[in-house]
C-alpha cells in the first residue's frame, strides 16, 4: 500500500486549495455566533459594567458624561493594574468624580458560586453570571515553580458534542461576553491576592492563560479577541501573547484570523489521526477534516520553534492509542514546530471510554519523542474534586433545577 507524502511536501497549489476558506464562511461563523450573544452589560438599575470595554469604548462613555479622555488611562490603571472594584479606593481620582462614576458604572466580577481546592492545590471555580448562567475556571499550579495556568471558559456549554467531553453533553446555551471572559481571570486573581499586576520580570503566580475551558473559543471569536486584547494591554494586566494559548477543535477560518490579529499560541484538540475516527470523536471534523486542519496549522503565523503548536491528544484505551496511531500522528505533524500533549482520559459518569494503560501511554509517547517531538503525558489534576470539564456545572444545574433557581431552566 502506498503512503501519501506528508502534507508539507505536497504542491503549494494543493495546499492553497485546501486552505481556500472564503470571507463568506468567516462571516457565516460570526453571524451564527451573534445568535448566542451574551446579555447586556447594563445592570437592571441602569449602571454599566466597565470591565470588558475597549479603551476606545471607555473613552466614549466617559466623554458622554463630560469627562476628558485622560480619565481613560486613570480608570484603566485602577481596573486592570490595581484590580480595584470600588471607585472610592481610586485615590488618584477626586471624590466628586468617584461619586459620579459610582452613580453610573460598576467594576464587576462574576460570582464564585462554588470554589473547590484539590489536595494537589488545583483550584476550580464555578462562576455565576448576572443572568444566572454558569461556567467553570480552573487554576492549575505548576508542580515545580510558584506559577501556574488559569484555564478559562469561552461559552456556557458547547455546541461541538465531542463524545469524550463532558461539556459536550450539555449543549450550547450562550457565548460569554468580553467582561465575563476577562472577569474569570480577574476573579481568580482576587482569590490569590495577586494585585497589583506584576511588572516586568516579577514572577506571577497566575502566569499563563489557556483558553481550554468550556466551549469552542473560535465560535465566540469576537468576544475572545476583545478580552485577550484587554488582558495583553501593557498598562493593565499586561500578560504577553506568548503566555496565552487558545485551544480549538479546528474552526479553520477563525484560526487564520486569530493568527493574524492576536498572534497568541495555538493548541489543536486533535485526538485522532484518521478522519473516520475523528468524525466520531470530534464531529466538527466532518466540516474541517484533518488534512485541511493540518494545512491551517502549517500556515499559522505565530508558529515557530520558540512558539510551537500544541497538539492535544486524549488517550482512549483501544480507540486511538495504538503504535500505528502514534506513527501516523508523527507523519501528520512532520515539519510543524510542534509538541504533543498526551492526556489520559478522565472518566465522567455516563462516559463510554476508558483511559489508556500506563504501558500504552509510555509506548505511544516513546514513538512521538523518538521522532523529535516533545510529548509530555499530562497527568490528571484535581481528581479529588469534580475535575472533568463541565462536571461542576452539571452538579450545580441539577441542584438548581430541583430548587427552581433562575438560570437553571435554560440549560
Amino acid at each position: 500500500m502506498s503512503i501519501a507524502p506528508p502534507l508539507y511536501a505536497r504542491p503549494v497549489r494543493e495546499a492553497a486549495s485546501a486552505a481556500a476558506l472564503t470571507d463568506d464562511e468567516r462571516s457565516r461563523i460570526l453571524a451564527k455566533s451573534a445568535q448566542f450573544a451574551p446579555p447586556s452589560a447594563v445592570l437592571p438599575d441602569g449602571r454599566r459594567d466597565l470591565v470588558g470595554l475597549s479603551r476606545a469604548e471607555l473613552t466614549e462613555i466617559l466623554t458622554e458624561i463630560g469627562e476628558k479622555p485622560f480619565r481613560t488611562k486613570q480608570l484603566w490603571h485602577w481596573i486592570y493594574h490595581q484590580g480595584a472594584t470600588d471607585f472610592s479606593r481610586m485615590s488618584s481620582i477626586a471624590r466628586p468624580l468617584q461619586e459620579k462614576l459610582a452613580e453610573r458604572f460598576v467594576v464587576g466580577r462574576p460570582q464564585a458560586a462554588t470554589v473547590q481546592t484539590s489536595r494537589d492545590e488545583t483550584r476550580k471555580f464555578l462562576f455565576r453570571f448576572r443572568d444566572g448562567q454558569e461556567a467553570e475556571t480552573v487554576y492549575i499550579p505548576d508542580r515545580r515553580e510558584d506559577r501556574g495556568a488559569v484555564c478559562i471558559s469561552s461559552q456556557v456549554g458547547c455546541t461541538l458534542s465531542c463524545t469524550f467531553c463532558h461539556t459536550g453533553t450539555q449543549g450550547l446555551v450562550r457565548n460569554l461576553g468580553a467582561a465575563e471572559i476577562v472577569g474569570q481571570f480577574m476573579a481568580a486573581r482576587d482569590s490569590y491576592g495577586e494585585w497589583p499586576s506584576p511588572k516586568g520580570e516579577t514572577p506571577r503566580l497566575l502566569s499563563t492563560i489557556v483558553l481550554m475551558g468550556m466551549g469552542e473559543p473560535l465560535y465566540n471569536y469576537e468576544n475572545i479577541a476583545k478580552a485577550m486584547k484587554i488582558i495583553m494591554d501593557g498598562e493593565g494586566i499586561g500578560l504577553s501573547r506568548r503566555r496565552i494559548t487558545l485551544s480549538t477543535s479546528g474552526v479553520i477560518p477563525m484560526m487564520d484570523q486569530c493568527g493574524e490579529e492576536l498572534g497568541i499560541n495555538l493548541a489543536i484538540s486533535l485526538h485522532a489521526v484518521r478522519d473516520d475516527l475523528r468524525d466520531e470523536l470530534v464531529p466538527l471534523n466532518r466540516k474541517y477534516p484533518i488534512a485541511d486542519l493540518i494545512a491551517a496549522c502549517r500556515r499559522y503565523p505565530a508558529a515557530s520553534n520558540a512558539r510551537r503548536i500544541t497538539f492535544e491528544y486524549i488517550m482512549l484505551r483501544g480507540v486511538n492509542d495504538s503504535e500505528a496511531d502514534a506513527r501516523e500522528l508523527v507523519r501528520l505533524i512532520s515539519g510543524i514546530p510542534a509538541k504533543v500533549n498526551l492526556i489520559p482520559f478522565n472518566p465522567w459518569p455516563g462516559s463510554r471510554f476508558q483511559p489508556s494503560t500506563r504501558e500504552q501511554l509510555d509506548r505511544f509517547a516513546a514513538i512521538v519523542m523518538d521522532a523529535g517531538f516533545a510529548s509530555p503525558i499530562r497527568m490528571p489534576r484535581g481528581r479529588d474534586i469534580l475535575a472533568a470539564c463541565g462536571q461542576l456545572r452539571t452538579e450545580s444545574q441539577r441542584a438548581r433545577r430541583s430548587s427552581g433557581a433562575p438560570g437553571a431552566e435554560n440549560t
Side-chain angles (χ1 to χ4, degrees):
M1 182 179 68
S2 63
I3 298 176
L7 285 174
Y8 70 93
R10 295 180 184 176
V12 173
R13 182 173 297 177
E14 182 180 341
S17 175
L21 297 157
T22 66
D23 288 340
D24 287 345
E25 173 71 358
R26 189 175 289 116
S27 297
R28 184 193 64 78
I29 291 171
L30 294 173
K32 186 173 182 180
S33 175
Q35 297 173 17
F36 296 92
S40 169
V42 178
L43 278 63
D45 64 9
R47 291 182 297 165
R48 172 83 181 259
D49 194 346
L50 296 183
V51 175
L53 296 178
S54 67
R55 279 182 177 268
E57 289 170 333
L58 185 54
T59 300
E60 182 179 353
I61 65 168
L62 289 173
T63 301
E64 288 174 358
I65 65 169
E67 295 301 321
K68 300 293 185 183
F70 78 87
R71 296 296 186 189
T72 297
K73 185 172 183 177
Q74 283 184 313
L75 276 172
W76 195 272
H77 172 84
W78 283 107
I79 294 170
Y80 296 115
H81 180 72
Q82 297 290 347
T85 58
D86 186 342
F87 292 109
S88 69
R89 300 181 66 87
M90 300 180 182
S91 57
S92 62
I93 297 175
R95 185 172 299 278
L97 180 54
Q98 291 176 357
E99 294 171 353
K100 182 179 180 180
L101 293 171
E103 289 172 0
R104 294 166 172 81
F105 307 116
V106 297
V107 179
R109 292 285 195 276
Q111 174 195 353
T114 305
V115 180
Q116 296 181 341
T117 304
S118 169
R119 287 189 296 269
D120 64 18
E121 298 185 343
T122 298
R123 185 170 295 177
K124 189 163 191 175
F125 305 86
L126 180 68
F127 285 125
R128 186 170 297 153
F129 306 106
R130 292 195 182 103
D131 63 349
Q133 296 298 340
E134 298 169 330
E136 298 176 2
T137 305
V138 185
Y139 174 67
I140 308 166
D142 189 274
R143 293 181 185 273
R144 294 173 294 278
E145 300 182 44
D146 287 336
R147 59 186 178 87
V150 183
C151 181
I152 288 177
S153 292
S154 56
Q155 296 178 309
V156 179
C158 187
T159 190
L160 294 185
S161 302
C162 297
T163 54
F164 56 84
C165 177
H166 191 273
T167 304
T169 67
Q170 300 178 358
L172 177 63
V173 177
R174 67 168 175 84
N175 289 329
L176 294 178
E180 295 168 325
I181 295 165
V182 175
Q184 292 174 67
F185 186 72
M186 297 175 78
R189 275 189 150 191
D190 293 345
S191 180
Y192 285 90
E194 196 172 45
W195 297 106
S197 295
K199 283 276 192 177
E201 298 303 315
T202 304
R204 294 173 183 254
L205 192 62
L206 281 64
S207 59
T208 58
I209 286 176
V210 289
L211 290 157
M212 297 181 182
M214 298 172 62
E216 166 54 65
L218 294 184
Y219 274 150
N220 186 22
Y221 177 74
E222 290 185 320
N223 286 307
I224 285 290
K226 188 176 183 182
M228 292 306 104
K229 288 173 182 176
I230 290 170
I231 284 172
M232 291 188 290
D233 188 294
E235 293 186 354
I237 292 171
L239 206 61
S240 163
R241 69 187 69 236
R242 294 173 178 271
R243 294 193 172 275
I244 300 173
T245 299
L246 181 145
S247 175
T248 178
S249 293
V251 186
I252 295 174
M254 308 316 298
M255 285 170 58
D256 294 335
Q257 187 169 347
C258 178
E260 292 165 6
E261 293 183 357
L262 299 179
I264 56 181
N265 300 322
L266 185 67
I268 301 297
S269 292
L270 188 62
H271 310 307
V273 294
R274 307 187 320 270
D275 278 325
D276 60 335
L277 178 57
R278 195 164 190 266
D279 285 352
E280 177 188 349
L281 297 179
V282 186
L284 183 66
N285 193 73
R286 298 166 193 163
K287 185 168 185 62
Y288 303 118
I290 292 173
D292 292 349
L293 177 57
I294 296 298
C297 291
R298 294 188 186 282
R299 64 177 181 264
Y300 190 74
S304 66
N305 286 329
R307 300 176 62 196
R308 295 169 292 173
I309 291 176
T310 299
F311 288 91
E312 298 170 293
Y313 198 94
I314 195 158
M315 297 289 286
L316 305 171
R317 187 184 305 179
V319 176
N320 65 351
D321 63 349
S322 71
E323 286 89 338
D325 289 318
R327 288 190 287 271
E328 177 61 9
L329 174 59
V330 167
R331 188 191 74 82
L332 280 173
I333 66 176
S334 179
I336 299 176
K339 70 173 182 178
V340 178
N341 269 354
L342 299 178
I343 309 168
F345 177 63
N346 191 1
W348 43 269
S351 63
R352 58 186 175 89
F353 298 109
Q354 293 181 307
S356 299
T357 64
R358 182 67 203 208
E359 293 75 18
Q360 194 61 25
L361 274 166
D362 290 339
R363 282 194 288 268
F364 196 105
I367 291 170
V368 179
M369 283 190 289
D370 287 347
F373 297 99
S375 56
I377 297 172
R378 200 173 80 193
M379 298 311 297
R381 306 288 294 275
R383 279 191 153 174
D384 54 320
I385 58 178
L386 292 173
C389 189
Q391 268 191 285
L392 196 57
R393 178 174 177 266
T394 293
E395 290 300 312
S396 173
Q397 294 300 303
R398 185 177 294 121
R400 296 177 72 205
R401 275 194 296 268
S402 65
S403 66
E409 69 277 3
N410 297 321
T411 61

